Amino acid sequence: MSENTPITSEEETTVLRIMDLAMSFTLPGCLRTAAQLHLADLLAEGPRSVDWLSEQTKTHSALLHKVLRMLVANGIFSAVDDHNYAINAEAEFLKSDHPYSQRHTILMLTDETLWKPVGQVTDAIQGNPPFESYYGESFYEYWEKNTRSDYNFPSGMSALSEVENHFVMATYEFPENSRVIDIAGGLGGLLLRILRANSSLHGILFDHEHILPQNRLPELNDDRRWQTVAGDLFGNIPEADIYILKHILHNWRDECALDILKNCRKSMRNDSKLLIIESIIYPADKPDSRYAMDIICLTAFPEAGERTIPEFETLLAKAGLKINKLIPTGCYISILEVVAA
């Protein structure tokens, strides 16, 4: 094409969209700054000037103004005028004390351990795991030894899960008097919700020994109805009526995912059910975050990522399991209810 060839009006729109997408990584960077500096907490009691905010956060006023301007342009925070900013509906979820606060989610998703590998998708699909190239060990090995000053990976996943768990609980009804085990359940946020919703249930939080002391289950105020069991995905799993694997299998290549499923099947009775809760890939009515989750997993975990229904059917059949039903939840995660084949 000649350099003098005019661009059409349709091409104008398309090329500008491509440019916008290429620069869209700047928004998460500003979101991270807002979370790190507690900007939503500082604005919780009313509008403040950028000069006041800069004093509180020990930043340069003119530069902080640029970050706030970017956030406002994308619907996060509101500009009262050229120098004063206020919280809005989106920024409410950045507040530390919001029941569905996403502050730790933002800090987790924009942490270098996810941010840097996503910049190397080409390496990942060519068989060179970006995370291990950067850090010299696996994702979970790294996070077992490293924390951040005011959050860690389990707290980030717990914050992310608070919203997801709302959709799960609105969608799935757990049978009365069931024994429910959340495998690699982190801080136990989902299990806590399940037990709160039905007083006839008993719960088991199953995870690594170093994670269990952080669990939230004492918030139930009934220690008779839950227990913690230390272990890992490839060891002995206690028997239960309902098994939960939430955001687990997408972190593992097929061979390891199959071992996890076989391990669950070994523990399950013939009438037990396994709930696989993930960003399952299938045609959806509207765009959501499942494809972004897929790329995050692809770059953080070698040969991992979200799976389609046929891919799950193949894995499950090899483990002596089958899909009983697919349950959309209204957000980017879905529930596969799985039973013995």
Side-chain angles (χ1 to χ4, degrees):
M1 179 182 289
S2 168
E3 63 182 43
N4 295 318
T5 302
I7 190 168
T8 67
S9 58
E10 292 81 6
E11 289 174 328
E12 285 178 353
T13 301
T14 303
V15 72
L16 289 175
R17 179 174 179 272
I18 291 295
M19 291 166 60
D20 286 343
L21 288 172
M23 291 185 282
S24 63
F25 68 93
T26 57
L27 177 57
C30 291
L31 264 177
R32 180 173 182 82
T33 293
Q36 287 177 316
L37 299 180
H38 294 269
L39 294 183
D41 295 330
L42 292 170
L43 292 171
E45 295 183 5
R48 296 286 189 174
S49 72
V50 68
D51 292 333
W52 183 86
L53 289 169
S54 68
E55 288 176 6
Q56 301 301 310
T57 57
K58 297 180 174 59
T59 57
H60 295 282
S61 177
L63 304 183
L64 177 59
H65 178 70
K66 293 176 182 290
V67 172
L68 285 163
R69 188 169 57 199
M70 174 70 164
L71 292 169
V72 169
N74 285 275
I76 305 160
F77 297 104
S78 297
V80 178
D81 53 39
D82 287 343
H83 298 287
N84 293 276
Y85 291 89
I87 203 164
N88 65 357
E90 285 78 4
E92 285 282 344
F93 289 96
L94 275 66
K95 290 165 57 177
S96 300
D97 61 356
H98 194 287
Y100 290 96
S101 174
Q102 292 302 287
R103 180 174 175 273
H104 278 211
T105 302
I106 292 166
L107 291 173
M108 174 187 70
L109 291 175
T110 60
D111 186 84
E112 65 171 66
T113 53
L114 292 179
W115 184 285
K116 288 169 66 175
V118 165
Q120 303 299 328
V121 175
T122 304
D123 286 352
I125 63 176
Q126 289 180 337
N128 303 308
F131 187 93
E132 295 182 6
S133 296
Y134 277 123
Y135 299 102
E137 56 190 339
S138 74
F139 186 88
Y140 288 120
E141 288 172 335
Y142 175 91
W143 275 105
E144 188 170 344
K145 296 180 290 188
N146 294 274
T147 58
R148 302 293 185 257
S149 59
D150 69 342
Y151 82 102
N152 52 42
F153 182 71
S155 73
M157 284 302 301
S158 180
L160 176 68
S161 293
E162 280 300 307
V163 176
E164 296 172 343
N165 294 344
H166 163 79
F167 288 93
V168 171
M169 295 303 298
T171 306
Y172 193 85
E173 185 172 349
F174 289 82
E176 294 284 318
N177 301 304
S178 294
R179 187 176 179 88
V180 181
I181 181 168
D182 194 354
I183 301 168
L187 305 189
L190 175 57
L191 190 57
L192 178 61
R193 274 181 172 263
I194 292 168
L195 297 178
R196 278 177 171 165
N198 189 331
S199 61
S200 75
L201 303 181
H202 184 275
I204 303 171
L205 182 61
F206 182 81
D207 212 318
H208 289 287
E209 191 168 0
H210 72 278
I211 292 176
L212 291 176
Q214 307 171 58
N215 84 83
R216 297 179 53 200
L217 294 176
E219 295 176 31
L220 185 66
N221 295 319
D222 187 353
D223 294 349
R224 299 168 299 173
R225 294 180 51 217
W226 62 271
Q227 66 187 106
T228 61
V229 176
D232 64 55
L233 295 165
F234 305 98
N236 293 325
I237 298 174
E239 183 182 296
D241 301 297
I242 305 289
Y243 294 72
I244 297 174
L245 286 173
K246 181 169 184 281
H247 287 321
I248 302 300
L249 295 179
H250 67 180
N251 296 340
W252 299 92
R253 58 168 60 100
D254 283 352
E255 296 82 356
C256 296
L258 179 58
D259 287 341
I260 293 167
L261 290 169
K262 286 180 176 178
N263 212 23
C264 289
R265 179 64 186 98
K266 184 171 64 175
S267 172
M268 293 168 64
R269 303 188 308 273
N270 288 335
D271 62 347
S272 297
K273 292 179 179 177
L274 167 64
L275 305 183
I276 298 172
I277 306 173
E278 296 196 347
S279 301
I280 299 161
I281 302 295
Y282 62 90
D285 295 335
K286 57 184 179 180
D288 57 32
S289 299
R290 71 187 68 199
Y291 299 106
M293 284 285 190
D294 193 16
I295 299 302
I296 289 171
C297 292
L298 167 70
T299 55
F301 310 100
E303 299 177 41
E306 308 298 348
R307 293 179 173 86
T308 64
I309 297 296
E311 288 169 336
F312 268 114
E313 287 174 335
T314 299
L315 274 178
L316 291 167
K318 293 177 181 178
L321 297 163
K322 65 180 181 181
I323 297 172
N324 189 42
K325 53 186 170 182
L326 166 68
I327 307 170
T329 66
C331 76
Y332 56 87
I333 59 169
S334 301
I335 303 171
L336 278 185
E337 184 182 74
V338 172
V339 297

